[in-house]
């Protein structure tokens, strides 16, 4: 019930391409879905987040698509750049029940963008 | 400081020893979280503080793990009688409050238990 499953484990794209990472969750109490970006040796940093009352949120080159009925959400990175090479984590929280910060994370996707 | 500060950045210890990991959150942040990141794994929630109290300790894996926060600021995570499976990166994060969605993570403490 608490799991968040993320795929793929690793992803290689060419500069300028679209990177797509998918996540699925089981707990219907989750009401907050952020994506975090982590560079080696650093802590994760919040990239973009969505609530279940909208199906899509876009910030610059980053877009979250959310499908409540399928309990799935995905991150799209348009015009991928070498600087986007990092590990990406999806996460979910029952913010209304506890806190935005008690997150259940996916296993992570290592993204490599070739120049 | 400008960000969440964790110390030490690396800690090597022998099995059976106790260790203390420190977290200095961003000034004014009332919510503080500890997470554990094992090699190749996602982050695992350990404990959450609001002020000095810990309303949610549900992620602590055993009674060898404990944490405290004093003065609504610095937090210490203590692991007693360390085991090899405790080896991981321990991450601390803070936010302006439990209803604030933006978590700021520190760079973590890499704990290695030999």
């Amino acid at each position: 019930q608490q799991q968040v499953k993320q795929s793929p484990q690793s992803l290689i794209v060419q500069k300028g391409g679209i990177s797509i990472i998918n996540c699925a969750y089981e707990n219907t109490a989750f009401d907050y879905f952020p994506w975090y970006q982590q560079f080696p040796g650093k802590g994760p940093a919040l990239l973009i987040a969505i609530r279940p009352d909208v199906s899509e949120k876009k910030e610059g080159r980053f877009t979250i698509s959310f499908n409540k009925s399928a309990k799935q959400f995905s991150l799209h990175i348009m015009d991928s750049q070498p600087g986007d090479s990092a590990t990406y984590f999806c996460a979910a929280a029952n913010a209304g029940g506890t806190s935005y910060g008690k997150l259940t994370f996916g296993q992570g996707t290592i993204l490599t963008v070739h120049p | 400081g400008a960000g969440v500060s964790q110390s030490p950045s690396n800690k090597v210890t022998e099995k059976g020893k106790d260790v203390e990991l420190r977290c200095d959150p961003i000034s004014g942040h009332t919510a503080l979280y500890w997470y554990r990141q094992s090699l190749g794994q996602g982050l695992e929630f350990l404990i959450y503080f609001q002020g000095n109290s810990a309303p949610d300790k549900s992620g602590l894996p055993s009674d060898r793990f404990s944490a405290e926060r004093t003065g609504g600021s610095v937090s210490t995570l203590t692991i007693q009688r360390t085991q090899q499976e405790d080896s991981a990166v321990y991450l601390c994060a803070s936010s302006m409050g439990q209803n604030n969605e933006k978590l700021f993570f520190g760079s973590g403490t890499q704990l290695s238990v030999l």
Side-chain angles (χ1 to χ4, degrees), chain A residues 9 11 31 36-37 49 53 64-65 71 78 96:
Chain A
Q9 281 189 305
L11 180 62
D31 57 4
Y36 278 80
Q37 179 188 55
D53 52 345
I64 300 179
S65 296
K71 292 187 284 185
M78 311 299 288

Short mmCIF file of all heavy atoms in Angstrom, two decimals, chain A residues 9 11 31 36-37 49 53 64-65 71 78 96:
data_model
loop_
_atom_site.label_atom_id
_atom_site.label_comp_id
_atom_site.label_asym_id
_atom_site.label_seq_id
_atom_site.Cartn_x
_atom_site.Cartn_y
_atom_site.Cartn_z
N GLN A 9 14.94 2.18 -14.51
CA GLN A 9 16.02 2.37 -13.55
C GLN A 9 17.07 3.31 -14.11
O GLN A 9 17.71 4.06 -13.36
CB GLN A 9 16.68 1.03 -13.21
CG GLN A 9 15.90 0.18 -12.23
CD GLN A 9 16.71 -1.02 -11.79
OE1 GLN A 9 17.17 -1.79 -12.63
NE2 GLN A 9 16.88 -1.18 -10.49
N LEU A 11 18.22 5.64 -17.90
CA LEU A 11 17.71 6.19 -19.14
C LEU A 11 18.83 6.99 -19.80
O LEU A 11 19.47 7.82 -19.15
CB LEU A 11 16.51 7.09 -18.85
CG LEU A 11 15.80 7.80 -19.99
CD1 LEU A 11 15.21 6.78 -20.96
CD2 LEU A 11 14.70 8.70 -19.42
N ASP A 31 -1.86 12.47 -1.74
CA ASP A 31 -2.46 13.65 -2.36
C ASP A 31 -1.43 14.70 -2.75
O ASP A 31 -1.76 15.86 -3.01
CB ASP A 31 -3.52 14.27 -1.43
CG ASP A 31 -2.95 14.64 -0.07
OD1 ASP A 31 -1.73 14.50 0.14
OD2 ASP A 31 -3.74 15.07 0.79
N TYR A 36 11.98 14.84 -7.37
CA TYR A 36 13.23 15.38 -6.85
C TYR A 36 14.37 15.02 -7.80
O TYR A 36 14.38 13.94 -8.41
CB TYR A 36 13.52 14.82 -5.45
CG TYR A 36 12.78 15.54 -4.35
CD1 TYR A 36 11.45 15.26 -4.08
CD2 TYR A 36 13.42 16.52 -3.60
CE1 TYR A 36 10.77 15.93 -3.07
CE2 TYR A 36 12.76 17.19 -2.59
CZ TYR A 36 11.44 16.89 -2.34
OH TYR A 36 10.77 17.56 -1.34
N GLN A 37 15.35 15.93 -7.88
CA GLN A 37 16.53 15.74 -8.70
C GLN A 37 17.74 15.67 -7.76
O GLN A 37 17.87 16.50 -6.85
CB GLN A 37 16.67 16.94 -9.64
CG GLN A 37 17.89 16.91 -10.56
CD GLN A 37 18.02 18.24 -11.30
OE1 GLN A 37 18.07 19.32 -10.71
NE2 GLN A 37 18.05 18.19 -12.62
N ALA A 49 6.13 19.64 -8.56
CA ALA A 49 5.19 18.81 -7.82
C ALA A 49 3.78 19.05 -8.33
O ALA A 49 3.49 20.10 -8.93
CB ALA A 49 5.26 19.11 -6.32
N ASP A 53 -5.73 17.17 -8.17
CA ASP A 53 -6.88 17.86 -8.76
C ASP A 53 -6.58 18.41 -10.16
O ASP A 53 -7.47 18.96 -10.81
CB ASP A 53 -7.35 19.01 -7.84
CG ASP A 53 -6.22 19.94 -7.45
OD1 ASP A 53 -5.04 19.59 -7.63
OD2 ASP A 53 -6.52 21.05 -6.97
N ILE A 64 4.84 17.46 -15.39
CA ILE A 64 4.29 16.27 -14.74
C ILE A 64 2.93 15.99 -15.37
O ILE A 64 2.08 16.89 -15.47
CB ILE A 64 4.08 16.45 -13.23
CG1 ILE A 64 5.39 16.76 -12.51
CG2 ILE A 64 3.47 15.18 -12.63
CD1 ILE A 64 5.19 16.97 -11.01
N SER A 65 2.72 14.72 -15.76
CA SER A 65 1.40 14.26 -16.18
C SER A 65 0.87 13.33 -15.11
O SER A 65 1.60 12.47 -14.61
CB SER A 65 1.49 13.51 -17.52
OG SER A 65 1.94 14.39 -18.53
N LYS A 71 -3.66 5.69 -11.20
CA LYS A 71 -2.69 5.85 -10.10
C LYS A 71 -1.26 5.86 -10.66
O LYS A 71 -0.38 5.11 -10.20
CB LYS A 71 -2.89 4.77 -9.04
CG LYS A 71 -4.21 4.93 -8.29
CD LYS A 71 -4.34 3.98 -7.11
CE LYS A 71 -4.65 2.59 -7.58
NZ LYS A 71 -4.91 1.65 -6.47
N MET A 78 11.65 18.04 -21.53
CA MET A 78 11.76 18.42 -22.95
C MET A 78 13.15 19.00 -23.20
O MET A 78 13.76 19.57 -22.31
CB MET A 78 10.69 19.46 -23.30
CG MET A 78 9.29 19.09 -22.85
SD MET A 78 8.70 17.57 -23.59
CE MET A 78 8.45 18.17 -25.27
N GLY A 96 -2.46 15.73 3.44
CA GLY A 96 -3.62 16.10 4.23
C GLY A 96 -3.69 15.35 5.54
O GLY A 96 -4.28 15.82 6.51
#
